[in-house]
Amino acid sequence: EIRVRRDDSESVLLVGRSILASTDEAAGGVVLVATDITQLKEYETAAARKERLSEMGHLAAAVAHEIRNPLNAISIAAQRLESEVAPADHRDEFIGFTGQIRSETRRLNEIITRFLSLARVEESRSARTEVATALAEFEKLVSGEAARLGIRLTLSAVPGMMAAIEATRLKEVLLNLYNNAKEAVEAGPGRRKEIAVGAESRGESIRIVVADSGPGIPLEHRSKVFAPYFTTKQGGTGIGLAAVHQIVDSVGGRVAVEESSFGGAAIVVELPKSGN
């Protein structure tokens, strides 16, 4: 079994060898037969990922419940300290500390929510979402932050394209991909900060591309980035792209990594069109 790189992709080949003997029993040649098993390997990886996520489901729900209870108690305690116990001296400093406690509890709660989203295995359900509308709502959510961070954010989509996915799930996909791209363009000093989100119709699918001007994803990592907890980022959780894959796969779509026109990474999501 060998891996072969061709252009911007990698294939897995299963190679068999047979030695041809001549009449005097000396080696007369060699026959090599190579079979492309790339798709089979992708199926095996997807099956293993689904099995792992399924096993995580029950554990995730129990752990999240146990963690969220003390988190809520901490947040409530911080609010009461801020409103009822704040000292007259050093009040601003005190409010700053309690605010930091509340901010960190919110961040932990968001991580738990993302973890549950990753571990939850759902059956595909019939749904309809107008993609251009979903992108416009997504832009309202992130445009302020993008401007504050100096990121040039561009979006394009033809109106009327209906995807077979719930609007909330598509928004979750877009936010995860935006957060991933945002971290990528912030990775190095002096790097131009650009994120482009585009959607177009391709046959029976709707193709959504989130491209960034970050450092890109090395070819050897592209088959791993959708695996739970795989990350190359300092302090990364490895949940965002895995959650994207889980959501897209649950509606019969596919997701892949390509190189963007900016020289960074482009995450390509293909969603089935809604037939309703």
Side-chain angles (χ1 to χ4, degrees), residues 8-270:
D8 197 31
S9 64
E10 185 178 70
S11 299
V12 183
L13 304 180
L14 188 64
V15 182
R17 181 190 65 178
S18 297
I19 298 177
L20 299 178
S22 63
T23 54
D24 58 359
E25 297 186 355
V30 177
V31 174
L32 296 177
V33 178
T35 304
D36 190 336
I37 60 170
T38 306
Q39 192 171 39
L40 176 61
K41 284 293 182 182
E42 291 175 354
Y43 290 152
E44 289 177 353
T45 301
R49 184 185 295 114
K50 285 183 179 180
E51 183 177 358
R52 185 179 180 189
L53 292 176
S54 179
E55 292 172 352
M56 288 166 51
H58 295 297
L59 176 62
V63 170
H65 177 73
E66 293 300 323
I67 293 177
R68 273 179 167 162
N69 283 340
L71 275 181
N72 289 334
I74 291 169
S75 181
I76 292 171
Q79 290 180 33
R80 292 195 61 184
L81 284 172
E82 189 174 297
S83 61
E84 300 175 14
V85 193
D89 296 335
H90 307 291
R91 178 180 175 82
D92 290 343
E93 187 177 4
F94 183 88
I95 296 297
F97 284 139
T98 56
Q100 186 176 8
I101 292 171
R102 293 169 60 188
S103 174
E104 289 303 303
T105 54
R106 282 195 300 270
R107 189 171 70 88
L108 284 172
N109 194 58
E110 289 172 1
I111 291 173
I112 292 170
T113 301
R114 290 164 62 193
F115 179 77
L116 280 174
S117 174
L118 171 61
R120 185 171 58 243
V121 179
E122 296 181 349
E123 295 295 329
S124 177
R125 294 177 292 175
S126 177
R128 282 167 60 87
T129 295
E130 208 276 323
V131 176
T133 300
L135 259 64
E137 293 175 354
F138 157 75
E139 184 179 19
K140 290 179 182 177
L141 286 175
V142 302
S143 58
E145 180 191 46
R148 179 173 56 82
L149 295 174
I151 298 173
R152 182 173 181 265
L153 178 66
T154 58
L155 291 93
S156 62
V158 178
M161 296 185 296
M162 304 298 297
I165 187 173
E166 292 182 353
T168 55
R169 302 290 270 169
L170 178 55
K171 186 184 297 182
E172 189 175 347
V173 166
L174 292 170
L175 286 172
N176 273 314
L177 293 181
Y178 164 77
N179 286 331
N180 193 70
K182 176 184 68 177
E183 292 171 2
V185 299
E186 292 277 292
R191 187 184 302 278
R192 74 183 191 277
K193 301 177 182 181
E194 295 192 56
I195 297 175
V197 183
E200 62 179 354
S201 176
R202 286 281 187 93
E204 297 301 313
S205 300
I206 295 173
R207 177 182 166 97
I208 300 173
V209 181
V210 179
D212 64 62
S213 60
I217 299 174
L219 190 58
E220 61 269 22
H221 290 164
R222 294 184 186 181
S223 62
K224 306 174 185 177
V225 294
F226 300 112
Y229 313 123
F230 176 84
T231 181
T232 58
K233 299 173 184 175
Q234 186 70 29
T237 62
I239 292 177
L241 289 181
V244 167
H245 185 280
Q246 190 269 341
I247 293 170
V248 173
D249 184 68
S250 72
V251 299
R254 62 181 296 273
V255 59
V257 180
E258 296 180 1
E259 185 174 321
S260 77
S261 58
F262 305 127
I267 307 298
V268 181
V269 174
E270 293 184 1

